[in-house]
Amino acid sequence: MSAFLKRCAVLLFAFAVLLLGSQLGQAASYEEALDKFAADSYAETEEAIAAIAASGHPMAAQVLDALQNTRLLYDPASRKVFIKGSSVSLLDAATGQPLAGAPADAQPVRVNNRLRRVIDAALGGLTLLSSDPVKRLGAALAVFKSRESNALPALNAALAKETDPKIKRALTDARAAVVLNFAEASESDKLSAVVVIRARGDQDAVGLLAGLPSDTPAAVSRAAQDAVTAIQSQLAMWTTVQNAWYGLSLGSVLLLAAIGLAITFGVMGVINMAHGEMVMLGAYVTFVVQEIFRAKFPALEDYSLVFAVPLAFVFAGLVGILIEQGIIRFLYGRPLETLLATWGLSLILQQSVRTAFGPTNKEVSNPTWMSGAFELGQITITYNRLWIICFTLAVFVALLGLLRWTRLGLEMRAVTQNRAMAASMGIRTGRVDALTFGLGSGIAGIAGVALSQIDNVSPNLGQGYIIDSFMVVVFGGVGNLWGTLVGAFTLGIANKFLEPFAGAVLGKIAILVLIILFIQKRPRGLFALKGRAIES
């Protein structure tokens, strides 16, 4: 038994000696690599980066990060290397111990663009096997951009262990990028890498395949060129889809801003230049509600929009009724005076809000369920835009139901089609006018709630939408909600497809010219209302 114990003791001692020797060798190689930084040579610095990344030393990542951010210093006299920290003045790069002060001649280790790519790859290789999936994904993306061949062993090891599909895909792309730029890789490996990068299908893939080294085999170059052509065709298709999505998003905003104007303009024939200020009031109601929730009920702040929607509708609707009763009803049949009066009113409302809340933009944050985005193919869809489209369609459907299935809706349609006949049938047209104006203003108020999530809340918020709203209403057909829907989405999509060619300003001018030409042929818009009074 004692002999057995002696043999065990000998084996343990031998293992300890080997382990100690390994650690001493590791420390020696790490210190030798640090010494290369003091040579003030780009070639020596590149060798030092590779040696430090391969050393496995606990300080390796910290040293490389300091080098990347120009916080790595060296003393030419003593050839010692230091890390400029935040909590302490300096750290000894060899031991990690804090130092009292820097030598008088200490200067930063110089790096160039080539070395920055090498550092990115080295840092990526150090974190490819991290337990944190976010770090692993970031490391894979860094290696894909740097394409440094010294990261290939770490990539192979990480791919063998990775189980997360998203990270595994990023690691596969990174390995393919490295192989395509690695001169010693075989032609078959490079052809396989082209297939991987082609499947990625984005602009980064085009840049990678189009910028292959000059010594790339001819077969690989041909495969890369074919892949670039295929990817560009796919990207053109996705660009069309992206523009269509942006157009739908813009169209939903235009619809939400114009739908209330379609009601008041269609039923009452009033050119309300203060309609944009109703939108602005709804946005400020959202701001006030969110501030109250933030101060009084912080746990419920994510649900402040749920309370802001009805409050904005009621507040803007009441303001609209007051405007109709106090100004508009005295100006029926006098469109020029109505236009001037509501324009003056819009200036008064803007100045009132500017006095109450100040001229600067107010912050209205997105709730968590409206924050973020997701990718669909090669396009990115933000949740706030998606929610606004859904909200706009819900408001549109609710308004259609109100006009079709309620007494107020029936009376509004009657007044729209023949005001004199509706009055003779006992409908109080003055009351219908006031409620209609209030309904249109209320809808503009809830449009302000939605716009507060994608635009700046300021006294001038409504001015950016009033002209577009009138164009939507006139193009779609005055007073016709379906025409407003079609007009808003048509103009939104057309505007987004024209912007890449003509620019934002010229695109809007082109849209305006097209609408003018269209109105010359169809003065009543796409969907003209039917009725004796209208047709007369």
Side-chain angles (χ1 to χ4, degrees):
M1 188 67 180
S2 60
F4 175 75
L5 291 175
K6 287 181 180 179
R7 284 195 296 270
C8 288
V10 170
L11 289 174
L12 287 173
F13 177 75
F15 178 76
V17 169
L18 288 174
L19 181 62
L20 180 60
S22 173
Q23 290 177 343
L24 290 174
Q26 181 191 74
S29 62
Y30 174 73
E31 291 181 359
E32 290 172 2
L34 285 179
D35 189 62
K36 293 178 183 293
F37 286 127
D40 195 26
S41 163
Y42 289 140
E44 294 278 343
T45 300
E46 184 172 351
E47 292 178 8
I49 293 169
I52 284 177
S55 70
H57 194 277
M59 291 288 294
Q62 193 172 353
V63 168
L64 294 178
D65 181 72
L67 178 63
Q68 186 180 50
N69 294 286
T70 64
R71 293 186 295 104
L72 193 68
L73 310 178
Y74 74 96
D75 179 18
S78 65
R79 299 184 68 86
K80 287 188 175 296
V81 181
F82 313 97
I83 299 173
K84 185 190 296 183
S86 55
S87 58
V88 294
S89 58
L90 280 181
L91 293 177
D92 186 341
T95 62
Q97 298 299 315
L99 301 176
D105 296 333
Q107 51 189 295
V109 179
R110 294 184 304 137
V111 295
N112 56 16
N113 289 335
R114 159 72 181 168
L115 289 179
R116 289 188 184 94
R117 291 193 298 270
V118 174
I119 295 168
D120 286 339
L123 283 172
L126 287 174
T127 52
L128 283 172
L129 297 173
S130 170
S131 59
D132 186 351
V134 176
K135 289 184 178 180
R136 295 202 304 275
L137 180 60
L141 296 176
V143 173
F144 178 85
K145 291 180 180 179
S146 66
R147 305 164 196 168
E148 291 297 329
S149 58
N150 56 11
L152 198 56
L155 279 170
N156 291 331
L159 271 169
K161 296 182 179 181
E162 188 57 61
T163 57
D164 187 303
K166 183 178 180 180
I167 302 176
K168 196 175 186 70
R169 177 65 191 173
L171 289 170
T172 303
D173 291 347
R175 185 185 184 281
V178 171
V179 167
L180 284 173
N181 286 270
F182 186 32
E184 298 179 9
S186 65
E187 183 175 315
S188 60
D189 284 345
K190 290 191 174 186
L191 288 172
S192 300
V194 169
V195 174
V196 171
I197 299 300
R198 178 173 178 168
R200 181 185 177 97
D202 59 3
Q203 200 61 49
D204 289 337
V206 173
L208 174 59
L209 293 173
L212 293 181
S214 57
D215 58 349
T216 301
V220 177
S221 296
R222 287 194 300 270
Q225 186 58 48
D226 293 341
V228 167
T229 303
I231 293 173
Q232 287 176 336
S233 299
Q234 292 175 359
L235 288 177
M237 180 195 70
W238 281 113
T239 299
T240 303
V241 175
Q242 182 81 73
N243 287 335
W245 164 252
Y246 286 155
L248 288 175
S249 177
L250 176 60
S252 67
V253 172
L254 293 178
L255 176 62
L256 206 53
I259 195 170
L261 188 64
I263 296 172
T264 56
F265 196 21
V267 175
M268 307 169 67
V270 174
I271 302 175
N272 179 20
M273 295 301 293
H275 182 78
E277 278 53 56
M278 301 299 104
V279 176
M280 178 262 293
L281 290 177
Y284 272 95
V285 168
T286 309
F287 167 71
V288 172
V289 170
Q290 191 171 91
E291 288 297 302
I292 292 173
F293 271 75
R294 191 172 291 164
K296 303 293 184 182
F297 314 102
L300 299 176
E301 185 181 346
D302 265 358
Y303 304 98
S304 61
L305 285 186
V306 177
F307 293 88
V309 169
L311 288 174
F313 177 82
V314 171
F315 182 76
L318 290 176
V319 172
I321 291 174
L322 289 175
I323 292 172
E324 196 280 334
Q325 291 290 292
I327 299 175
I328 303 298
R329 72 186 183 98
F330 300 108
L331 300 175
Y332 285 130
R334 298 153 65 184
L336 181 59
E337 286 87 342
T338 305
L339 186 150
L340 291 174
T342 54
W343 177 65
L345 179 63
S346 72
L347 297 179
I348 293 172
L349 289 173
Q350 286 182 49
Q351 189 57 46
S352 299
V353 170
R354 192 174 285 110
T355 302
F357 294 95
T360 58
N361 296 339
K362 298 300 177 183
E363 179 188 359
V364 177
S365 59
N366 294 125
T368 54
W369 46 274
M370 286 184 68
S371 302
F374 64 94
E375 292 184 356
L376 183 64
Q378 295 296 324
I379 67 173
T380 301
I381 297 177
T382 56
Y383 285 113
N384 59 352
R385 293 278 183 175
L386 183 61
W387 273 107
I388 287 174
I389 291 176
C390 296
F391 179 69
T392 302
L393 295 177
V395 171
F396 181 80
V397 171
L399 191 56
L400 284 178
L402 183 146
L403 293 177
R404 184 172 181 84
W405 305 110
T406 66
R407 179 181 178 85
L408 174 61
L410 180 63
E411 291 178 347
M412 286 172 58
R413 287 186 288 135
V415 172
T416 301
Q417 295 178 17
N418 196 320
R419 178 178 292 272
M421 182 62 73
S424 68
M425 295 296 292
I427 295 176
R428 296 163 57 190
T429 57
R431 172 179 171 274
V432 172
D433 287 339
L435 292 177
T436 301
F437 204 91
L439 176 63
S441 299
I443 293 174
I446 61 176
V449 178
L451 292 178
S452 69
Q453 301 300 298
I454 59 173
D455 208 340
N456 295 322
V457 177
S458 70
N460 300 320
L461 172 64
Q463 292 299 300
Y465 296 96
I466 184 65
I467 302 300
D468 288 337
S469 298
F470 272 108
M471 285 199 299
V472 167
V473 172
V474 172
F475 176 67
V478 176
N480 190 303
L481 292 185
W482 285 105
T484 305
L485 175 73
V486 175
F489 284 116
T490 300
L491 294 184
I493 292 173
N495 194 67
K496 287 302 178 182
F497 274 95
L498 283 174
E499 274 185 9
F501 305 101
V505 176
L506 289 179
K508 281 187 177 294
I509 294 174
I511 292 292
L512 179 59
V513 171
L514 291 174
I515 289 177
I516 292 173
L517 295 175
F518 177 81
I519 295 301
Q520 296 296 315
K521 296 293 184 182
R522 292 181 65 92
R524 293 177 185 165
L526 282 173
F527 301 93
L529 288 175
K530 303 294 183 180
R532 293 182 181 178
I534 293 171
E535 293 173 356
S536 64

